[in-house]
Amino acid sequence: GAVVSQHPSRVICKSGTSVKIECRSLDFQATTMFWYRQFPKKSLMLMATSNEGSKATYEQGVEKDKFLINHASLTLSTLTVTSAHPEDSSFYICSASSAGSYEQYFGPGTRLTVT
Amino acid sequence: TQLLEQSPQFLSIQEGENLTVYCNSSSVFSSLQWYRQEPGEGPVLLVTVVTGGEVKKLKRLTFQFGDARKDSSLHITAAQPGDTGLYLCAGADRGSTLGRLYFGRGTQLTVWP
């Protein structure tokens, strides 16, 4: 149980375009979803936290107008990187947790490359 | 801010050796999770410890939560090449917003055959 999927697993886009990444909880209801960014051989950096049906809470330094997060249902959250630039290239990982649980289950990640 | 200090940052050992990874904080956590991550993949939950002094075993891995719930350790016995990966500890604060986890910076373990 507790399976989280992400799509796409890899994406290459041109500078200035927008990219949407989907995160789905496949076998449980995710009341809260988290979006992280990870640099090579580094730990996870939390970007934002979202509850289903509510606006996301962004971490300090993360531009909410650049990284748009939607958590429209208990099984789906999306992260849209708007007007992407090469410095946005990174490994983006989502996680999901159910109500009352401190455990987060992670998706397999999305490798974004902006050319 | 709840800081989790994880050490060592890098560990390179031979197959069969034992090792311990530490996570320490000045803050109290309601629970602590250990994850393992392989390159290009998301972290996989290994264990959750909740009670101070709790010890959990997962085959050759032993996890301990400190009595004061401020620190934790992961001990691997007779490491194997398949144990290679990035190990992450993460603490949960009951009072924090929306179940946020505070991650250590990770321990990159390489086990050579």
Side-chain angles (χ1 to χ4, degrees), chain A:
Chain A
V3 179
V4 176
S5 70
Q6 258 181 265
H7 178 80
S9 58
R10 290 177 179 272
V11 58
I12 301 172
C13 70
K14 291 184 184 284
S15 188
T17 62
S18 296
V19 174
K20 180 184 283 189
I21 303 170
E22 291 187 350
C23 178
R24 293 181 185 272
S25 58
L26 300 185
D27 53 359
F28 68 103
Q29 293 190 326
T31 50
T32 307
M33 285 187 167
F34 304 83
W35 286 94
Y36 295 86
R37 186 171 176 176
Q38 187 176 33
F39 294 99
K41 296 195 185 296
K42 298 292 186 183
S43 188
L44 305 175
M45 183 184 79
L46 180 65
M47 298 174 66
T49 302
S50 73
N51 268 354
E52 181 261 339
S54 302
K55 286 186 179 180
T57 301
Y58 289 81
E59 293 299 300
Q60 192 172 8
V62 178
E63 298 176 61
K64 62 180 180 181
D65 294 330
K66 180 167 185 63
F67 298 99
L68 301 178
I69 291 171
N70 183 280
H71 191 167
S73 77
L74 285 172
T75 59
L76 173 65
S77 176
T78 60
L79 166 68
T80 302
V81 183
T82 62
S83 186
H85 288 98
E87 56 265 30
D88 298 324
S89 297
S90 193
F91 193 52
Y92 292 88
I93 311 177
C94 71
S95 71
S97 66
S98 54
S101 172
Y102 298 110
E103 295 175 343
Q104 293 182 22
Y105 295 92
F106 286 83
T110 297
R111 171 72 59 193
L112 169 64
T113 303
V114 185
T115 61

Side-chain angles (χ1 to χ4, degrees), chain B residues 77-112:
Chain B
T77 304
Q80 298 177 0
D83 296 327
T84 294
L86 180 67
Y87 288 81
L88 296 159
C89 63
D93 173 15
R94 188 183 297 273
S96 73
T97 306
L98 302 174
R100 177 200 173 127
L101 290 179
Y102 295 86
F103 279 86
R105 64 178 180 177
T107 296
Q108 182 63 52
L109 171 65
T110 304
V111 182
W112 300 98

Side-chain angles (χ1 to χ4, degrees), chain B:
Chain B
T1 302
Q2 301 209 329
L3 204 58
L4 258 177
E5 296 288 344
Q6 187 173 343
S7 63
Q9 188 175 359
F10 298 98
L11 202 48
S12 181
I13 61 173
Q14 291 293 126
E15 182 176 4
E17 293 184 17
N18 302 332
L19 66 111
T20 303
V21 178
Y22 300 92
C23 264
N24 298 292
S25 176
S26 58
S27 302
V28 176
F29 292 101
S30 56
S31 70
L32 195 137
Q33 284 91 49
W34 284 91
Y35 294 84
R36 193 182 102 180
Q37 184 181 23
E38 299 198 23
E41 299 180 10
V44 174
L45 180 65
L46 296 174
V47 78
T48 299
V49 285
V50 178
T51 307
E54 182 176 5
V55 177
K56 281 191 174 179
K57 293 195 174 187
L58 188 67
K59 296 183 181 178
R60 294 175 293 99
L61 278 60
T62 302
F63 305 85
Q64 186 162 8
F65 203 12
D67 291 340
R69 290 187 287 134
K70 292 182 179 181
D71 54 86
S72 181
S73 64
L74 156 61
H75 182 79
I76 301 179
T77 304
Q80 298 177 0
D83 296 327
T84 294
L86 180 67
Y87 288 81
L88 296 159
C89 63
D93 173 15
R94 188 183 297 273
S96 73
T97 306
L98 302 174
R100 177 200 173 127
L101 290 179
Y102 295 86
F103 279 86
R105 64 178 180 177
T107 296
Q108 182 63 52
L109 171 65
T110 304
V111 182
W112 300 98

